[in-house]
Amino acid sequence: MNKYFFLLQVTLAILITLPTFAAETSDIPSLSETELPATKAELLTQQQVTPENQPIEQPETEPTPNDDADISIEAIGEKDNLPESTPTYIIEKEEIQKQGATSLADILKRMPGFAINDVGQGADIHTGTYYRGASINQSVFLINGRPINNNVNTYHGGTDLNSIPVEAIERVELYSGTASALYGSSAFGGVVNIITKEGYEQPKLTGSVEFGSLSLNNQQVSYGGSSGAVKYNFSFERFFSDNRYRVPVGAANRDAQGFLSNADTATSTYFGSIALDLDQKNSLNLDITKLSSRRGLIYFGFPLQRDRLDHDGLNVGLSWKTRLGNGDDSNLTTSIGYNQDYFSTYGPTGAFYRTGILDTQQLSARVDHEWKLTPNNKLRWGLDLKNTDLNGDVLSTNPARIANNETENRSLLNTALFAVNTWNISENFLVDLGLRQSFDGQFGNYFNPSVGLRYAVTPKVAVRGSWAGGQRNPGLDQLYVYDTVHGWEPNPDLEPENGSSWTAGIDVNFSDNLIGQFTYFGSSIGDRLGVIAGRWENIGLVDTNGLEAALQFKIASNWSTFLNYTYTDAQIKSGLEKGLQLGLIPYSVLQTGVGYQNAGWQANLYVTYNSGARRAFFTNPGDRSTDFAPSFLNLDFSGRIPITSTLGLTVYLENLLGEQYERVNRIYSPGFTFRVGLSSNL
């Protein structure tokens, strides 16, 4: 408790001192407010941005914004003063609804750079999520700017992409480059920020109910509005699927009847937020997220696995935003957060039984000051504090493992100072300079710089690039807690993963109806963590290079299309697997789609191509760790038929070709599935 009190004291002390640094206001536009080829281009539409950040008037034949889809890829012009030398990808709530997403994983899988190996409906978190070749624990996940990653890194401790009700999500933003200085040195892949809904104007009730294949049933409801200075929103989601379907001989988790076994999922998620405008300069916001999840673990071992996973999570955040100056030249945000994740795995191993519990509690505090020093120079700087308590409790009745039964209690304090300076050298040339100095109770002090630039060659073409140094520390579980499910031993002598990531790209407005964005990305990570002979070790160097290409094309009024392509070469440079691609990461992923929307009617066709990933580990007898799963092509359809002005019939048809392809490591897709439901907006 003394540690928590210390964190609050430091936060308040800094809050008291910062207001004295307010700068004078200025209305001179920055580079982000000038007309550049920024791709604020929705997934199935597009909208350019003027210097005043207002939509350009379209011909009368064009649909209104309300007729457009709303997944956007934003390179500049964001109100949150993010670094602009790398693109910011954004998916809005309308596109999330159109896709029929039931989890954050569903949302992310259509974004450039992501490879998500989910299986069935509401799949577990073990099958793997990668962004630009980096694992889920090598990226930073936020809710309203607060971290939701815990300090657990094994299969049952990765960030759960089912932990936030989809109905509560306003949009999802994806950052990279110098943004890592703002949110964490471990962001080799990127930063995913989940922005939740706030209530506006008259109270509004929205909801949906769905039923479908694999015993799926899903109910979502959200109620929000405002009264005077108070805004509120409350959301709930309940999801269940048994994920029981036939799989071919040789599939992982195949039972005696030939069905995928132990893949059922049941989750209940709750969200609530209340915002209060104290006056014209000050506002408070409180949000709470609660998760209760029960599921079977799907992993790639043989023979049949029967382990279960219970996951209960709680995230609470309180933020205070204040304008220190007379305008928007100096804004201060102070936030305090609490995050708890309780993971419990249990299951039989023949005649024996095993359990593993990892319970993490984190208290965090953050001071974030956005300061316009001059008309051409913006500084964003502040302080992060985070204290983590981990309780690990493992037990096995197997005589060969009894010696590893233990209870571990560990604590860790992390502090970091961060700053990103954005300097508009001219109207066309911008430079981002980022610094992050960390103080870690386990691994000492370390410094991570970053730099980025953006140059508008013409009003239609801009080039950009970034470089960022990073460090990801081993989790407390990898250091100290025996993994009784896999039989992996901890290693207190582990070293942090160290390296850097970089991007280079070009944004092009080919025409008013065609926008393209092309990004080369790479990273080099030394001392990468892995398992050798049943023990966590630093396994060596991994170099990643790849290409993202995103095109948005407006075909005609009410019609639009998109194409995203990602190539990822994540090569192991040392050790026994030198020269091989990292396991579970495909070389190529292509996403494309075409959509029509008019007067409440919607029809969208999505196409996915996956080149197949290396099986790598837990291989079936006869398989080799150098084998790749075959490539596959998948078609999905979503549609909405208006019944009344506030009620619609929704239809989602997934895997129209009906091919039961190998998704990853001998785990197969269910083939054709469907969902039918009703959505209402009152």
Side-chain angles (χ1 to χ4, degrees):
M1 202 67 186
N2 290 335
K3 291 179 291 186
Y4 299 162
F5 183 69
F6 169 74
L7 295 179
L8 294 175
Q9 283 183 314
V10 173
T11 303
L12 292 174
I14 294 176
L15 175 64
I16 293 171
T17 58
L18 282 177
T20 60
F21 296 98
E24 295 183 2
T25 62
S26 175
D27 296 326
I28 298 178
S30 68
L31 179 63
S32 64
E33 299 169 313
T34 62
E35 184 176 313
L36 292 177
T39 46
K40 189 178 193 322
E42 287 77 6
L43 175 59
L44 300 178
T45 185
Q46 62 203 32
Q47 184 183 40
Q48 291 176 285
V49 179
T50 66
E52 293 76 27
N53 205 30
Q54 298 294 326
I56 296 176
E57 292 186 4
Q58 301 292 336
E60 292 182 0
T61 57
E62 294 293 322
T64 65
N66 291 332
D67 291 328
D68 291 341
D70 287 338
I71 177 171
S72 62
I73 297 178
E74 181 74 59
I76 64 167
E78 279 297 291
K79 295 180 180 179
D80 187 17
N81 289 324
L82 293 167
E84 299 169 6
S85 48
T86 55
T88 298
Y89 300 112
I90 300 175
I91 297 183
E92 301 284 356
K93 60 184 178 182
E94 289 82 5
E95 178 60 28
I96 294 171
Q97 189 176 51
K98 181 184 298 183
Q99 292 177 4
T102 58
S103 68
L104 181 60
D106 282 344
I107 298 172
L108 295 177
K109 70 183 181 182
R110 300 205 189 277
M111 299 186 80
F114 270 95
I116 296 181
N117 301 317
D118 55 355
V119 177
Q121 310 280 8
D124 73 83
I125 58 178
H126 178 53
T127 46
T129 296
Y130 299 90
Y131 178 61
R132 293 178 175 174
S135 71
I136 194 171
N137 289 314
Q138 292 170 320
S139 295
V140 174
F141 284 76
L142 312 169
I143 178 170
N144 298 324
R146 296 190 322 276
I148 58 174
N149 293 72
N150 50 62
N151 197 257
V152 177
N153 289 264
T154 52
Y155 69 98
H156 55 343
T159 303
D160 192 339
L161 301 184
N162 298 275
S163 60
I164 298 171
V166 173
E167 185 62 37
I169 297 176
E170 177 73 19
R171 65 184 184 276
V172 177
E173 303 175 344
L174 176 60
Y175 322 138
S176 59
T178 50
S180 62
L182 296 175
Y183 295 111
S185 61
S186 62
F188 288 109
V191 178
V192 178
N193 192 13
I194 304 152
I195 307 299
T196 57
K197 293 179 181 177
E198 291 185 348
Y200 295 98
E201 299 177 352
Q202 295 298 320
K204 185 177 181 181
L205 177 67
T206 61
S208 65
V209 57
E210 287 181 353
F211 298 92
S213 304
L214 311 179
S215 302
L216 178 143
N217 67 81
N218 183 26
Q219 299 87 44
Q220 300 185 39
V221 64
S222 181
Y223 179 74
S226 64
S227 177
V230 180
K231 294 180 288 187
Y232 54 88
N233 186 75
F234 305 98
S235 301
F236 168 76
E237 180 175 358
R238 177 185 178 274
F239 179 91
F240 174 79
S241 175
D242 66 11
N243 276 321
R244 182 168 171 80
Y245 53 89
R246 289 194 175 275
V247 291
V249 174
N253 267 42
R254 185 179 190 267
D255 66 15
Q257 291 75 42
F259 287 87
L260 181 69
S261 177
N262 200 45
D264 57 290
T265 295
T267 61
S268 295
T269 50
Y270 307 82
F271 172 80
S273 71
I274 298 176
L276 174 64
D277 293 329
L278 301 174
D279 53 38
Q280 292 184 345
K281 290 191 174 185
N282 293 275
S283 64
L284 289 174
N285 186 287
L286 172 68
D287 63 78
I288 302 174
T289 305
K290 179 73 175 71
L291 164 71
S292 178
S293 170
R294 304 292 180 265
R295 55 164 62 97
L297 276 175
I298 310 174
Y299 44 89
F300 320 124
F302 297 89
L304 179 65
Q305 305 290 338
R306 294 186 174 90
D307 291 293
R308 306 291 298 175
L309 168 64
D310 295 348
H311 178 200
D312 295 304
L314 175 65
N315 187 283
V316 182
L318 176 66
S319 63
W320 173 17
K321 298 181 179 180
T322 185
R323 294 180 179 179
L324 302 179
N326 295 323
D328 292 326
D329 61 316
S330 182
N331 299 296
L332 180 68
T333 302
T334 303
S335 60
I336 298 174
Y338 172 79
N339 190 73
Q340 181 183 26
D341 282 288
Y342 176 87
F343 296 96
S344 175
T345 55
Y346 50 93
T349 56
F352 307 109
Y353 194 81
R354 60 191 175 199
T355 64
I357 293 174
L358 292 174
D359 185 8
T360 63
Q361 299 186 60
Q362 290 182 341
L363 184 68
S364 62
R366 179 180 175 93
V367 176
D368 190 335
H369 184 204
E370 297 179 4
W371 185 11
K372 194 169 186 179
L373 301 172
T374 71
N376 297 318
N377 196 344
K378 293 183 294 185
L379 175 65
R380 184 170 177 180
W381 68 291
L383 169 70
D384 275 328
L385 297 170
K386 181 175 68 175
N387 188 85
T388 304
D389 290 318
L390 171 69
N391 174 266
D393 192 354
V394 297
L395 173 68
S396 176
T397 61
N398 188 334
R401 295 189 177 186
I402 287 178
N404 297 104
N405 293 343
E406 63 172 338
T407 298
E408 289 279 352
N409 290 285
R410 299 284 177 169
S411 295
L412 183 65
L413 178 65
N414 305 89
T415 307
L417 298 170
F418 62 85
V420 174
N421 183 251
T422 299
W423 183 24
N424 295 335
I425 297 176
S426 69
E427 291 185 355
N428 301 324
F429 187 36
L430 171 149
V431 174
D432 291 317
L433 299 174
L435 303 172
R436 189 174 183 90
Q437 176 68 53
S438 300
F439 308 90
D440 187 273
Q442 182 78 35
F443 295 101
N445 306 335
Y446 47 95
F447 177 72
N448 299 112
S450 58
V451 62
L453 58 87
R454 182 181 181 87
Y455 178 66
V457 181
T458 73
K460 297 294 184 180
V461 178
V463 295
R464 48 182 165 74
S466 70
W467 177 91
Q471 174 170 320
R472 185 176 81 95
N473 300 329
L476 291 174
D477 57 322
Q478 294 169 309
L479 292 164
Y480 303 114
V481 182
Y482 176 67
D483 182 347
T484 186
V485 174
H486 287 109
W488 293 342
E489 295 183 1
N491 183 354
D493 297 322
L494 292 174
E495 296 293 331
E497 295 178 336
N498 279 285
S500 59
S501 59
W502 53 86
T503 67
I506 183 171
D507 302 325
V508 183
N509 280 13
F510 295 101
S511 69
D512 290 342
N513 295 326
L514 178 61
I515 296 176
Q517 192 167 43
F518 308 92
T519 302
Y520 162 75
F521 62 85
S523 65
S524 181
I525 304 176
D527 288 324
R528 190 178 177 107
L529 296 169
V531 176
I532 300 177
R535 188 170 189 257
W536 283 105
E537 301 284 357
N538 293 104
I539 63 175
L541 176 67
V542 174
D543 284 347
T544 300
N545 292 276
L547 175 68
E548 291 172 1
L551 292 170
Q552 294 80 30
F553 179 54
K554 176 66 73 64
I555 303 172
S557 178
N558 301 325
W559 287 88
S560 48
T561 187
F562 79 100
L563 184 148
N564 295 330
Y565 172 74
T566 303
Y567 175 82
T568 306
D569 180 10
Q571 189 174 130
I572 301 171
K573 306 298 288 186
S574 61
L576 297 176
E577 295 186 332
K578 181 179 179 180
L580 297 179
Q581 173 86 341
L582 275 179
L584 313 184
I585 300 175
Y587 280 111
S588 295
V589 176
L590 183 144
Q591 298 268 359
T592 187
V594 61
Y596 174 80
Q597 183 168 320
N598 186 29
W601 293 78
Q602 292 181 13
N604 305 279
L605 181 66
Y606 300 96
V607 181
T608 300
Y609 168 78
N610 187 303
S611 66
R614 188 167 72 92
R615 295 192 178 117
F617 58 93
F618 291 141
T619 53
N620 200 18
D623 290 343
R624 298 171 301 176
S625 62
T626 55
D627 291 344
F628 275 72
S631 62
F632 62 85
L633 185 71
N634 182 72
L635 274 69
D636 297 329
F637 173 84
S638 71
R640 183 181 187 275
I641 301 171
I643 299 175
T644 69
S645 60
T646 59
L647 182 66
L649 174 68
T650 57
V651 178
Y652 304 99
L653 307 177
E654 294 155 328
N655 198 349
L656 292 173
L657 299 179
E659 178 187 357
Q660 194 169 27
Y661 51 80
E662 180 182 351
R663 182 69 188 182
V664 66
N665 251 66
R666 293 298 184 187
I667 296 181
Y668 290 80
S669 72
F672 172 78
T673 59
F674 72 90
R675 289 182 284 147
V676 178
L678 294 173
S679 63
S680 179
N681 188 340
L682 301 177

